[in-house]
Amino acid sequence: MKVTEHFNNANKTLFTFEILPPLKGENMRTLFDHIDPLMEFKPPFIDVTYHREEYVYKQRGNGLLEKITTRKRPGTVGICAAIQNHYKVDTVPHLICGGFSKEETENALIDLHFLGIDNVLVLRGDCVKSEARFVPEPGGHAYATDLLEQVVNMNNGCYLDDEQASNNSTDFCIGVAGYPEKHSEAPNLKADLRWLKKKIELGADYIVTQMFFDNQKYFDFVNLCRAEGINVPIIPGLKPITTKNQLTVLPSIFHIDIPADLADAVDACTDNKAAAQVGVEWAIKQSKELMEFGVPCLHYYSMGKSGSVRKVAEALF
Ligand code: FAD
């Protein structure tokens, strides 16, 4: 079922979460052990992130370094199918431009369609870790808008090398990313919103936000979106802080602010157990206020650990 159908059918705020594929070499049990504790809260769908390739340098016997391309967390499509099969819940595979040609994207979309996966979250993806800026794959897409157009074309039966629309169209419900605190590369929020609006005009059905820790930033973002004529559901993305070092890691990776009250409280903790408790309490407070605001769904970034998300869900769902 489509994400938007879940929203339309719900009579209360839904609980959903995002998982990372396990590291290469680990098995599905690792992942199920992480998902199992969260299933009690009846997520209608689970997002599975996509991780592009990275470059690593291996020392060779002759003293030289060899550049190797590796994907540390492969398996997004297979994991989505395995979750749907095992838990009977819908999945939302993330689909990125980085590292994909248009043909590879088309093949991935055909696989998802045949597997009965009805949703995709369409993203550009970040640059390769060792590179300063995003470089599209030769024959691939430069922006989420371009990838979105390909998915919409397939929903209209148009495949890459067909002159005419086929009658075998896909029917993906399409989510896109939004940034209450602006995407790091956008010159300003207004410019960023222009591209977000373009994504909706091209056919995206809903928005999931980057994590934020100050609800006012989400409320302001929703108001700005509505003023721009963006009327699709805007799902807040939340993450309970779990360690003290996330005070610096999260802002540096995700380009978000951590409010002074929260940062001071985490900083004052003597260990990560206490910091995680502060993180849980903050996320509960944020979630309650967002529920009162009437969001259709609360979406939690679990980042491979379910403990804190479970504690938040226990208090709310
Ligand atoms: P875009 O919408 O393409 O925007 C990128 C930048 O270009 C922005 O500054 C925007 O203002 C501008 N822009 C947009 N369209 C155009 C255009 N047509 N022309 C010129 N400028 C334009 N990354 C992963 O690698 N894997 C994941 O699974 C993943 N999941 C995510 C889930 C969520 C909910 C979020 C919020 C992010 C996720 N990311 C993921 C990170 C995301 O890929 C990065 O933030 C990336 O840098 C931007 O992706 P985007 O889809 O927002 O890009």
Side-chain angles (χ1 to χ4, degrees), residues 252-269:
S252 119
I253 297 180
F254 299 107
H255 308 279
I256 44 110
D257 272 357
I258 299 189
D261 287 359
L262 174 59
D264 290 349
V266 172
D267 206 26
C269 293

Side-chain angles (χ1 to χ4, degrees), residues 13 38 75 77 133 154 210 227 241 256 282 295 317:
T13 314
L38 300 176
V77 172
R133 62 185 185 88
M154 283 182 67
Q210 181 58 277
I241 285 190
I256 44 110
W282 188 274
V295 299
F317 295 95

